[in-house]
Amino acid sequence: MTHATSNQQPWEFWGTDLVDLFFAPTQQPDPRTTQDADLARTFNFVPGLKELLMLRQVHALEHATVWVLSSRAKPYAVADSTTPLPDNERLGGMSTDRGFYLYGNVDVTELSRAVQVALRRITAGEWDLAVHPRCGTNLSVGMLLTAGLAVSAAVILPRGPIEQMLGLGIAAATAAHLTPDFGSLAQRYVTTAIPFNLAIDRIETSQDPFGRPAHFIQVRWKEG
């Protein structure tokens, strides 16, 4: 793992080369373990900054935990560069700045182990665990893309109803094609961060509004 040094070039941003960021978006930059802690200390006068930083880290830990639990449900599945990680669609989650809810029928002992494994793996370099295809970020990105492309098509194309309907269909199809990649980028660089500053406090068993089993994994902030 590399760290930012004092001879960092002007075009580099928190250890990330902007050229790599835009032209090799599938490769996540090497984050500094103290990055969020440094930001929280430097800009502690900004209201809600620490909570925002913590929420992004919790979000990544939530995704990593779902991946670990899904892999344990399919112990013989092997992920490599061409095989996606197994995904248990019966599991879901919701992140807060104090921890995350895990929805699904999971034994609390297994969940406790999975959270610890997820935290260890993602902070050790398995940063792809922070991105999940069923994340709500993808839905939001898809809606924004659809709306933007639909408005653009409506402005560019002739005003006739056939042309407008054709443009709307093309916009929807294009947005559906682009959403997975753009959603993944949004997760990597906006809505998640590697949880270097999180420690697991406890796990509470509860239920969701429909009476289904749920757990709340409470975390605390620790300095990097």
Side-chain angles (χ1 to χ4, degrees):
M1 181 177 295
T2 59
H3 297 268
T5 58
S6 59
N7 61 348
Q8 187 178 36
Q9 298 298 322
W11 57 83
E12 292 185 350
F13 177 73
W14 290 341
T16 302
D17 192 324
L18 294 182
V19 174
D20 290 339
L21 176 63
F22 287 104
F23 292 95
T26 57
Q27 182 180 4
Q28 188 162 1
D30 188 358
R32 291 188 291 114
T33 59
T34 61
Q35 175 175 297
D36 282 359
D38 292 343
L39 285 173
R41 285 193 296 267
T42 304
F43 300 100
N44 58 4
F45 56 88
V46 178
L49 175 62
K50 185 175 180 179
E51 288 75 14
L52 176 61
L53 296 174
M54 194 167 181
L55 177 59
R56 296 175 70 229
Q57 293 194 17
V58 170
H59 195 188
L61 180 59
E62 174 207 322
H63 289 172
T65 302
V66 171
W67 281 128
V68 170
L69 287 171
S70 299
S71 298
R72 291 187 175 188
K74 301 178 180 178
Y76 300 107
V78 178
D80 55 31
S81 59
T82 60
T83 305
L85 289 168
D87 179 21
N88 186 348
E89 296 185 357
R90 292 175 296 178
L91 297 177
M94 183 182 71
S95 296
T96 73
D97 60 2
R98 298 184 300 107
F100 66 93
Y101 291 92
L102 195 287
Y103 302 111
N105 191 11
V106 179
D107 178 76
V108 65
T109 302
E110 180 183 7
L111 175 58
S112 178
R113 287 197 296 265
V115 173
Q116 297 292 345
V117 169
L119 182 60
R120 182 172 66 251
R121 286 175 58 182
I122 194 172
T123 54
E126 295 185 55
W127 300 321
D128 282 345
L129 294 176
V131 178
H132 200 283
R134 291 189 288 110
C135 177
T137 300
N138 287 23
L139 177 61
S140 300
V141 169
M143 293 173 61
L144 288 173
L145 284 174
T146 302
L149 291 173
V151 170
S152 299
V155 171
I156 295 172
L157 294 176
R159 300 297 182 181
I162 296 179
E163 291 85 351
Q164 290 292 308
M165 290 297 295
L166 180 62
L168 181 60
I170 294 174
T174 304
H177 178 72
L178 295 177
T179 291
D181 291 335
F182 278 82
S184 176
L185 285 173
Q187 289 184 59
R188 288 179 185 275
Y189 301 113
V190 180
T191 64
T192 70
I194 307 305
F196 291 122
N197 300 104
L198 296 187
I200 312 300
D201 257 356
R202 62 179 181 271
I203 298 177
E204 301 174 355
T205 302
S206 61
Q207 292 182 332
D208 69 8
F210 301 99
R212 294 173 296 190
H215 297 85
F216 182 70
I217 297 83
Q218 184 170 327
V219 301
R220 58 181 171 83
W221 177 272
K222 64 176 185 178
E223 296 298 329

